[in-house]
């Protein structure tokens, strides 16, 4: 069993359901009723985790900011697109940021693997090696770990970011990634395996 | 059968756990810049104001401040839709001009980063981006969508503007014609 503690709120994300969903529903209801301030409240409540998710999966601060903006602008255009019974507002917004990032990669001519291929061949996938330099990588105290995370194939990287870096529940992470729960679990497990192999091989100091 | 060395297997996982926890803590300190946050909020407000059924009164209250260079960013799709509704006469489209040259005097309506990226790409790409300038007229009250101040007493008056369009169709910037 993975020896992580599940500190749900320590990294800025609150697990979906319960009070979180109710708070989100209240804010959206206020927004739909025309309360101008509700928009800013929603932004301040949800923006940081969405930004961090985008930053962690793409490794670029400007792309992350653009993806965050795209997600929040799309939400502001149609707030009724979020339905509380489907998940938290934060997960909904992260999913929209995800779409924005994938679209941008496609526009940039980069192929993003939607399914995680098994590692018959080692090494970094070409699209990962061609990823732009991440400003955040240079600032991270654990830059080697960060680089290793960025080197993971997209499906593994996203799963690891959602579960291990942002400590979301598996259910919420699966919803954001758009995959079945078991698929998400498998991806997390394989991501950890790959990182652990690199660590034990001395790639990470 | 050789017994498994559980300690040896556990050690890299423990090391990885510690490393990921530190990385997670560092990630938790990351935030968008203040300019990005202002731009995103402004873009959200503009999108909300343009959304069907939005209560217009509630969204005009906060527009009475000067547009900062990076203070307003609006989704291109929202503004294109707004532009399509603004003018009663067919838009006049000038022939394409190099983006960098065409951009002078325009106020960007995309984020600072995107604006810089478009200009950078236009300078380096062989098929240099040929920007389009579209002339349009709009009621003064529409200035609110762009985060610009306007006199409510003259809300119905029309102003002439030029819209700078990227070859991809994105609305990049606006310039008002006296």
């Amino acid at each position: 069993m993975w020896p992580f503690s599940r500190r749900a709120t320590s990294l800025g994300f609150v697990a979906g359901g319960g009070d979180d969903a109710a708070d989100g529903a209240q804010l959206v209801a206020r927004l739909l009723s025309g309360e101008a301030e509700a928009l800013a409240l929603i932004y301040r409540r949800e923006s940081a985790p969405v930004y961090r998710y985008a930053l962690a999966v793409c490794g670029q601060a400007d792309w992350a900011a653009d993806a965050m903006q795209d997600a929040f602008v799309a939400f502001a255009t149609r707030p009724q697109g979020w339905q509380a019974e489907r998940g938290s507002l934060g997960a909904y917004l992260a999913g929209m940021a995800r779409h924005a990032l994938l679209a941008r990669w496609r526009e940039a001519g980069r192929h993003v693997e939607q399914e995680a291929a098994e590692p018959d061949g080692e090494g970094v996938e070409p699209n990962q090696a061609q990823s732009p330099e991440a400003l955040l990588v240079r600032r991270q105290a654990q830059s080697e770990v960060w680089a290793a995370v960025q080197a993971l194939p997209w499906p593994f990287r996203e799963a690891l970011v959602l579960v291990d870096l942002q400590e979301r529940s598996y259910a919420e992470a699966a919803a954001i990634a758009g995959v079945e729960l078991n698929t998400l679990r498998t991806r997390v497990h394989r991501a950890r395996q790959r990182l652990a192999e690199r660590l034990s091989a001395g790639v990470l100091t | 059968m050789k017994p498994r060395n559980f300690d040896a297997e556990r050690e890299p996982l423990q090391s990885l756990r510690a490393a990921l926890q530190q990385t997670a803590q560092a990630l938790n300190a990351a935030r968008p810049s203040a300019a990005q946050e202002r731009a995103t909020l402004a873009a959200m407000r503009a999108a909300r104001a343009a959304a069907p059924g939005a209560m217009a009164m509630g969204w005009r209250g906060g527009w009475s401040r000067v547009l900062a260079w990076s203070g307003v960013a609006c989704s291109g799709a929202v503004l294109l839709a707004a532009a399509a509704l603004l003018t009663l006469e067919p838009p006049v489209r000038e022939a394409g001009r190099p983006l960098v040259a065409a951009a002078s005097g325009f106020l960007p309506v995309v984020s600072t980063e995107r604006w810089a990226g478009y200009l950078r790409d236009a300078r380096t790409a062989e098929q240099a981006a040929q920007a389009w300038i579209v002339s349009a007229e709009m009621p003064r009250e529409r200035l609110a969508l762009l985060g610009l101040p306007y006199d409510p007493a003259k809300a119905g008056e029309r102003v002439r503007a030029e819209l700078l369009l990227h070859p991809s169709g994105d609305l990049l910037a606006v310039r008002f014609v006296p």
Side-chain angles (χ1 to χ4, degrees):
Chain A
M1 291 293 288
W2 186 251
F4 266 73
S5 61
R6 305 235 68 84
R7 291 172 287 120
T9 62
S10 64
L11 293 178
F13 272 116
V14 178
D19 292 342
D20 177 61
D23 290 345
Q26 285 176 5
L27 284 172
V28 173
R30 289 163 62 181
L31 178 68
L32 290 172
S33 70
E35 183 179 329
E37 189 55 29
L39 204 61
L41 290 173
I42 290 171
Y43 173 79
R44 297 196 196 292
R45 182 173 184 263
E46 305 290 352
S47 60
V50 172
Y51 173 77
R52 290 163 191 157
Y53 159 75
L55 179 64
V57 295
C58 77
Q60 268 196 300
D62 56 346
W63 281 36
D66 283 344
M68 178 194 72
Q69 182 170 301
D70 288 347
F72 278 87
V73 168
F75 166 76
T77 303
R78 192 172 178 271
Q80 54 271 46
W82 173 64
Q83 296 172 7
E85 60 272 17
R86 291 188 180 178
S88 70
L89 181 56
Y92 177 73
L93 290 162
M96 296 174 84
R98 179 181 190 274
H99 285 300
L101 279 175
L102 291 175
R104 189 161 184 176
W105 262 312
R106 282 190 288 270
E107 285 174 12
R110 296 191 183 118
H111 175 62
V112 179
E113 289 291 343
Q114 291 300 306
E115 294 301 323
E118 277 309 309
D120 291 331
E122 286 301 321
V124 176
E125 287 185 353
N127 55 312
Q128 302 306 321
Q130 294 167 9
S131 295
E133 293 291 319
L135 177 65
L136 182 61
V137 171
R138 301 188 185 98
R139 299 203 302 254
Q140 295 292 334
Q142 293 291 329
S143 59
E144 294 88 0
V145 175
W146 191 255
V149 171
Q150 293 304 307
L152 289 172
W154 163 270
F156 297 159
R157 183 165 79 246
E158 179 182 41
L160 189 86
V161 165
L162 288 169
V163 174
D164 286 341
L165 294 188
Q166 293 199 304
E167 296 194 345
R168 294 177 181 269
S169 68
Y170 280 97
E172 186 172 63
I176 292 170
V179 297
E180 296 293 324
L181 185 59
N182 285 338
T183 301
L184 193 281
R185 289 182 184 276
T186 300
R187 290 180 179 182
V188 171
H189 174 71
R190 290 175 180 164
R192 290 169 180 169
Q193 262 186 336
R194 287 199 179 194
L195 284 184
E197 287 167 3
R198 290 173 67 91
L199 184 67
S200 63
V203 175
L204 304 173
T205 58
Chain B
M1 185 192 314
K2 188 178 180 181
R4 288 178 67 180
N5 185 343
F6 289 102
D7 287 340
E9 291 179 10
R10 191 177 300 122
E11 184 175 340
L13 287 176
Q14 295 285 0
S15 299
L16 176 61
R17 174 194 176 191
L20 284 175
Q21 284 182 330
Q22 290 184 26
T23 302
Q25 288 169 3
L27 176 63
N28 201 35
R31 291 195 65 87
S33 68
Q36 288 166 339
E37 298 216 290
R38 286 195 299 272
T40 299
L41 267 172
M44 291 172 71
R45 291 183 177 121
R48 192 74 201 115
M55 291 176 60
M57 285 296 293
W59 303 102
R60 287 182 183 171
W63 290 116
S64 58
R65 59 189 177 91
V66 177
L67 171 67
W69 182 255
S70 61
V72 171
C74 300
S75 88
V78 170
L79 284 181
L80 278 174
L85 296 173
L86 293 174
T87 183
L88 294 177
E89 33 184 75
V92 176
R93 174 172 286 192
E94 296 183 14
R97 287 194 267 158
L99 176 58
V100 175
S104 173
F106 279 86
L107 294 170
V109 295
V110 293
S111 67
T112 304
E113 288 76 17
R114 270 186 171 164
W115 180 247
Y118 280 125
L119 293 180
R120 182 177 58 243
D121 291 344
R123 288 190 186 98
T124 58
E126 278 189 6
Q127 60 280 19
Q130 296 287 308
W132 294 90
I133 296 177
V134 178
S135 298
E137 269 192 2
M138 65 181 77
R140 285 187 179 274
E141 65 178 354
R142 292 293 181 176
L143 299 179
L145 284 177
L146 303 174
L148 298 170
Y150 76 102
D151 183 357
K154 300 179 181 179
E157 291 184 5
R158 303 187 72 81
V159 293
R160 293 199 66 84
E162 293 178 330
L163 312 178
L164 183 66
L165 299 179
H166 188 265
S168 64
D170 288 348
L171 177 61
L172 302 182
V174 175
R175 179 170 63 193
F176 291 97
V177 180

